[in-house]
Amino acid sequence: MQLSIIIPLLNEEESLKELHDWIVTVMQSNHFLYEILFIDDGSSDESWNIISKLANTNPNVKGIRFFKNYGKSQALHAGFNAANGDVIITMDADLQDSPEEIPELYQLIKHEGYDLISGWKKKRYDSIISKNMPSKLFNWAARRTSGVKLHDFNCGLKAYKKEVIKNIKVSGEMHRYIPVLAKNAGFTKIGEKIVTHQARKYGKTKFGMERFINGFLDLITIWFVSKFGKRPMHFFGALGVLMFIIGFSFAIYLGVDKLFINKTGRLITDRPQFFISLIAMVIGTQLFLAGFIGEIIVRSKTNENRYNISEEVNLKKIQ
């Protein structure tokens, strides 16, 4: 199979039929072998019923339905696990991403050797204050922190080589940083393509300003995990040893001063250096233990599901 198109969605009943027909038209005109994977992230409207009807009329349509809303990262994770195509396309269900971009994205992955191509919505139709400005700041911080030179990390329209999505794990709210996860997994040929951004036709956006706050927090997390996720002792242990040495040095200074220099001076416990020494050694010990416990967790952790699937259509069970 040439293409898997993964579409996570939440309450997009008005756009699904139109999006499906648009994708099918593009697929047929380019003679692609394809599958469309709709991942219903706990919709409360008629989205799943529409997906089921589409699957009944088009065997290339497949669906996964979550029991509740787990988030876009979990929806993509489920889609990645189910995808069979050589090239995987992700796009949003709100008709703001154009399926007309898919053939060129496919060519970039299949024939120009890219591991990942991220869409860049250079011209946007979103609110300047509530979305465009925060998005620019967010993308600047992501470039500086990750070293991945993309203009638009948060664009839902992306293309992946199959090996990429089978070797990364998307959890929490890390879908914004899939290019960073791919880079950390060893996939270095990452590019971007300017794509058409269309104004939302139906409904309203599911994202508010809080997503940018969460995005910055996730950015700190992914920076730490990429550098120290497999060796937490290198961070916490080193910091703990440094703090302990500082505290122990103050303790030696106080001891030498009291025993040999100012024997009749004030009590050690009346001096601020004593409390600095004590606190620094306690904090140093705690940081060292945090690193040690982190190492144990990393070596003993097991994989577990981060979502529960309610229904599936047109998906074969793996025995």
Side-chain angles (χ1 to χ4, degrees), residues 169-213:
K169 295 180 180 179
V170 187
S171 60
E173 292 190 27
M174 294 300 180
H175 58 274
R176 303 176 182 89
Y177 304 109
I178 291 179
V180 183
L181 296 175
K183 178 190 173 186
N184 292 341
F187 299 98
T188 57
K189 195 163 185 184
I190 297 172
E192 67 182 348
K193 176 187 180 298
I194 296 175
V195 297
T196 301
H197 181 234
Q198 303 179 120
R200 175 178 271 274
K201 190 173 182 179
Y202 304 107
K204 60 182 180 178
T205 180
K206 309 300 187 298
F207 303 102
M209 283 292 292
E210 70 276 2
R211 72 169 182 161
F212 293 106
I213 298 174

Side-chain angles (χ1 to χ4, degrees), residues 104-123:
E104 189 171 346
L105 290 170
Y106 176 83
Q107 295 298 323
L108 289 169
I109 297 293
K110 196 66 177 176
H111 299 297
E112 296 193 27
Y114 282 94
D115 297 316
L116 187 157
I117 293 292
S118 180
W120 173 16
K121 296 175 181 177
K122 193 172 183 178
K123 182 178 180 181

Side-chain angles (χ1 to χ4, degrees), residues 236 239-241 243-244 279-291:
F236 291 107
L239 194 57
V241 168
M243 291 293 293
F244 190 88
I279 291 172
M281 286 193 288
V282 170
I283 292 175
T285 302
Q286 289 177 331
L287 286 170
F288 186 87
L289 288 174

Side-chain angles (χ1 to χ4, degrees), residues 221-249:
T221 299
I222 202 167
W223 171 83
F224 178 84
V225 170
S226 66
K227 287 186 175 294
F228 304 106
K230 296 186 183 299
R231 43 191 172 89
M233 180 60 86
H234 288 197
F235 178 79
F236 291 107
L239 194 57
V241 168
L242 176 63
M243 291 293 293
F244 190 88
I245 289 174
I246 292 172
F248 192 67
S249 298

Side-chain angles (χ1 to χ4, degrees), residues 3 40 53 56 80-81 94 96 180 205 266 274 317:
L3 276 168
D40 184 352
K53 291 176 182 177
N56 288 333
F80 288 164
N81 281 343
D94 54 13
Q96 289 188 286
V180 183
T205 180
R266 54 181 174 167
F274 170 78
K317 300 291 185 181

